[in-house]
Amino acid sequence: SLLQLVYPYDFRLTEKEKTSICYLSFPDSYSGGLGDTQFSFRLRQSGGQRTTHYEDDGEYNREAPLTLQRESAHYFGYVYFRQVKDSSMKRGYFQKSLVLVSRLPYVNLFQSLLQLIAPEYFDKLEPCLEAVCNEIDQLPPPVPGQTLNLPVMGVVIQVRIPSRVDKPGSSPVKQFNQENLLPAPLVLPSIHELDLFRCFQPVLIHIQMLWELMLLGEPIVVMAPSPTVSSEMVLALTSCLAPLRYCCDYRPYFTIHDSEFKEYTTRTQAPPNIVVGVTNPFFIKTLQHWPHILRVGELRMSGDLPKQVKVKKLAKLKTLDTKPGIYTSYKTFLHKDKTLIKRLLKGIQRKRPSEVQSALLRRHLLELTQSFIIPLEHYIASLMPLQRAITPWKNPPQIRPFRQEDFMKTLEHAGPQLTCVLKGDWLGLYRRFFKSPNFDGWYRQRHKEMTQKLEALHLEAICEANIVAWMKDKSEVEIVDLVLKLREKLVRARCQHLPVKEETLQRVGLYIETIIGSLPEDLQTVLHHH
């Protein structure tokens, strides 16, 4: 496979990335199916940091939900693959892929774009791509909370970019301002949410087990018949913890040519915390030491509940014609939830549309995640120093350390049982969670937010203080020291975009000027130049 063309021309990829993209853009096990398929992959960036097209990632990442951050060390690839009979070709058929590479996980938006662009591109080739890229260049950068209208090839795609302040589980705002757009826009209900019901159809009765495995960041292999099924299943799995961010690595589609192949297949160390989607039967042999392997067949939507896979022992995996199933020895901490399956079955009997079933499934997973996370949120909030302990002339007090045993004690009267009917070993689940990258990611994020909140409260305390009174009995050295400290605080507040009102920052700026003004002139000059 060959990389024929890269747009925009100035987009720099390393040779290693080009090779990986080539291999990831084609199905790696021959599928006799002709026609068009779409799938996605995720690729580790090689060769150091590069500047991105939009300089200020910070602003977008601060306002976007944690699950939709722009990636800094990975690319997503969105692929439209076509295979058609062609006697002029050596193999007897023509194979081509158009790949969109981005740092944003907007799977629905980018796959919809490809559905418009790819068929045209395969017909008209280069000029078409140039025209489309010019259109895409004109598009505004995504702003969380805003609705985008994207004119591409005579169609306007309309979609809302979610924001961090959206209530989890609230459906996107339906009534878009149509602004008399002609032709009527192609409205995408979500920029990234998959049809969970369709993706999870063979494993609906095991949803709980899969949720636990994802929560704990366990290593999982998804073996699928095609890159489409593998990438959809992996993306569905990584999305099932929302609004908690899945902090482990994942590869929606992975081939034997990948540069990380050795790293994942080695038996000298435990498998990494990653969900990896594969289609090549060769992986059955090389990954059979992994603890959890989910083997699925082709997804077919039928009228009744699709055949559900069974949980099997890992030893059964040796054969090459491995049957669909979840191969694992994992025992779930929580008991199965029968009501979800009953509801979904009722939906199937009543022929409810797939998106209604997906909404049910998504709400169930959201409630499960929230029941698990709310006690953690309550406990971590209690580690914040009291507001009255924050005084202007002392460094703010530290956030108290997170002690797992103290947290466990809070569960008796404020545990998940308050919001969740599921029985089981919640304590065991928390203990395992504390060892996972997902806990680490959640804790760091919260700790960072709390530290910034403390800084902000400290600045506000300084604003309320009577600086002149404080200066009365202070030496010049102490006053100069205060000026330098306040300056540093101001710079930090602006750089880190701390949650502080602009007027507070301006008042601190004025304070600094006032203090400098009260000092001897030679010192004033030094401080003004400092």
Side-chain angles (χ1 to χ4, degrees):
S1 47
L2 196 64
L3 204 64
Q4 288 182 335
L5 180 74
V6 178
Y7 265 98
Y9 293 124
D10 58 1
F11 183 61
R12 292 271 166 268
L13 288 167
T14 63
E15 286 310 310
K16 197 170 167 187
E17 287 165 348
K18 284 181 187 168
T19 310
S20 295
I21 287 173
C22 282
Y23 283 120
L24 287 166
S25 301
F26 291 93
D28 74 340
S29 47
Y30 172 73
S31 58
L34 295 169
D36 295 0
T37 48
Q38 289 181 263
F39 55 92
S40 36
F41 61 79
R42 184 167 171 271
L43 169 78
R44 189 185 291 173
Q45 183 179 301
S46 69
Q49 288 288 339
R50 268 156 284 173
T51 51
T52 50
H53 185 52
Y54 300 120
E55 284 309 303
D56 186 24
D57 273 358
E59 190 169 351
Y60 170 82
N61 279 352
R62 274 193 306 281
E63 294 173 14
L66 292 173
T67 48
L68 289 180
Q69 304 271 297
R70 191 179 268 124
E71 293 259 359
S72 59
H74 291 86
Y75 290 121
F76 292 97
Y78 302 95
V79 183
Y80 192 106
F81 168 73
R82 172 171 286 186
Q83 178 167 298
V84 286
K85 276 202 169 77
D86 184 343
S87 50
S88 71
M89 297 295 215
K90 203 163 58 193
R91 290 179 169 180
Y93 50 85
F94 154 98
Q95 280 187 317
K96 220 176 187 135
S97 282
L98 183 61
V99 188
L100 196 155
V101 176
S102 169
R103 294 179 184 279
L104 291 163
Y106 294 170
V107 57
N108 292 351
L109 173 63
F110 292 138
Q111 291 293 14
S112 305
L113 262 177
L114 284 172
Q115 281 168 19
L116 295 172
I117 301 166
E120 283 284 305
Y121 164 67
F122 293 138
D123 286 349
K124 305 199 175 73
L125 299 177
E126 215 167 314
C128 147
L129 216 50
E130 192 148 359
V132 167
C133 284
N134 285 336
E135 284 190 297
I136 290 176
D137 269 346
Q138 308 299 314
L139 301 179
V143 177
Q146 289 193 6
T147 295
L148 283 183
N149 288 311
L150 310 178
V152 177
M153 301 181 72
V155 180
V156 175
I157 298 182
Q158 191 174 73
V159 68
R160 182 179 177 277
I161 312 281
S163 146
R164 199 175 288 194
V165 294
D166 297 346
K167 214 169 112 262
S170 60
S171 58
V173 194
K174 284 280 183 284
Q175 69 297 342
F176 281 121
N177 43 347
Q178 293 294 343
E179 294 169 27
N180 306 331
L181 288 170
L182 289 170
L186 167 65
V187 177
L188 304 182
S190 160
I191 203 159
H192 67 295
E193 285 181 351
L194 298 166
D195 182 343
L196 277 195
F197 180 64
R198 198 178 53 100
C199 297
F200 282 149
Q201 41 165 336
V203 293
L204 288 169
I205 59 172
H206 307 297
I207 250 351
Q208 189 116 354
M209 174 193 266
L210 292 169
W211 175 83
E212 282 188 26
L213 291 173
M214 294 306 290
L215 181 74
L216 301 173
E218 286 286 310
I220 303 177
V221 185
V222 173
M223 293 184 173
S226 70
T228 308
V229 177
S230 108
S231 58
E232 289 203 333
M233 181 61 91
V234 171
L235 290 176
L237 285 169
T238 56
S239 76
C240 73
L241 298 181
L244 186 66
R245 183 185 192 167
Y246 176 71
C247 297
C248 306
D249 204 349
Y250 59 100
R251 296 280 184 273
Y253 170 52
F254 186 76
T255 74
I256 52 179
H257 305 287
D258 212 284
S259 53
E260 281 122 71
F261 179 71
K262 278 198 183 65
E263 193 182 316
Y264 295 167
T265 50
T266 173
R267 297 186 180 224
T268 53
Q269 62 212 56
N273 300 86
I274 175 175
V275 180
V276 56
V278 300
T279 60
N280 193 324
F282 179 68
F283 279 109
I284 293 180
K285 218 162 74 204
T286 53
L287 294 178
Q288 62 186 1
H289 61 294
W290 279 45
H292 320 284
I293 294 175
L294 166 58
R295 168 92 172 164
V296 285
E298 274 298 346
L299 292 186
R300 282 195 267 298
M301 261 324 229
S302 49
D304 42 6
L305 185 68
K307 193 170 177 337
Q308 298 294 293
V309 307
K310 295 190 170 62
V311 174
K312 306 178 183 191
K313 299 223 165 20
L314 276 158
K316 294 247 168 74
L317 196 73
K318 300 270 188 283
T319 54
L320 264 172
D321 59 336
T322 307
K323 300 211 163 19
I326 300 180
Y327 294 82
T328 179
S329 56
Y330 180 79
K331 297 276 172 283
T332 56
F333 286 92
L334 305 179
H335 306 323
K336 229 180 215 160
D337 181 19
K338 301 269 182 2
T339 50
L340 174 70
I341 289 300
K342 284 186 188 142
R343 276 185 183 162
L344 291 171
L345 274 170
K346 191 184 270 178
I348 289 170
Q349 286 157 5
R350 298 191 175 162
K351 298 198 174 16
R352 280 196 197 121
S354 188
E355 55 264 31
V356 176
Q357 297 277 67
S358 278
L360 250 174
L361 201 50
R362 193 169 272 112
R363 194 168 79 228
H364 170 80
L365 290 165
L366 172 73
E367 284 169 4
L368 200 51
T369 301
Q370 284 182 324
S371 295
F372 182 80
I373 227 74
I374 283 169
L376 283 162
E377 298 281 7
H378 278 321
Y379 172 70
I380 202 167
S382 75
L383 304 177
M384 188 81 165
L386 294 171
Q387 192 136 2
R388 64 168 180 271
I390 301 168
T391 58
W393 316 122
K394 280 211 281 286
N395 279 332
Q398 296 285 305
I399 297 164
R400 287 194 298 284
F402 189 108
R403 296 193 206 285
Q404 293 177 14
E405 287 317 307
D406 290 353
F407 165 71
M408 293 305 213
K409 286 185 198 123
T410 66
L411 292 175
E412 286 160 43
H413 49 89
Q417 68 280 4
L418 296 182
T419 51
C420 189
V421 291
L422 285 187
K423 300 280 177 276
D425 180 12
W426 286 95
L427 294 176
L429 188 59
Y430 281 114
R431 285 212 165 84
R432 270 285 281 276
F433 176 68
F434 288 141
K435 299 189 180 91
S436 85
N438 290 327
F439 169 69
D440 189 55
W442 171 83
Y443 176 73
R444 280 166 191 248
Q445 174 69 27
R446 283 290 171 269
H447 198 272
K448 183 177 135 191
E449 287 166 5
M450 286 162 71
T451 309
Q452 294 188 340
K453 179 82 182 130
L454 264 181
E455 277 274 303
L457 288 170
H458 193 214
L459 275 170
E460 274 157 25
I462 291 168
C463 260
E464 301 303 311
N466 182 342
I467 274 204
V468 182
W470 176 84
M471 282 165 51
K472 277 214 175 76
D473 53 351
K474 297 294 180 289
S475 69
E476 262 175 28
V477 178
E478 288 172 291
I479 292 175
V480 170
D481 188 49
L482 176 72
V483 167
L484 298 178
K485 276 200 181 126
L486 286 180
R487 266 202 187 147
E488 192 193 345
K489 272 189 163 315
L490 261 187
V491 170
R492 210 166 44 226
R494 293 212 187 277
C495 289
Q496 296 181 0
H497 299 269
L498 294 185
V500 190
K501 295 191 200 69
E502 181 56 37
E503 57 193 301
T504 305
L505 295 179
Q506 284 174 0
R507 275 176 69 183
V508 174
L510 278 172
Y511 267 13
I512 295 173
E513 290 308 311
T514 312
I515 302 169
I516 294 177
S518 73
L519 291 166
E521 265 178 33
D522 54 338
L523 270 180
Q524 287 193 31
T525 320
V526 174
L527 285 171
H528 277 307
H529 286 108
H530 186 71

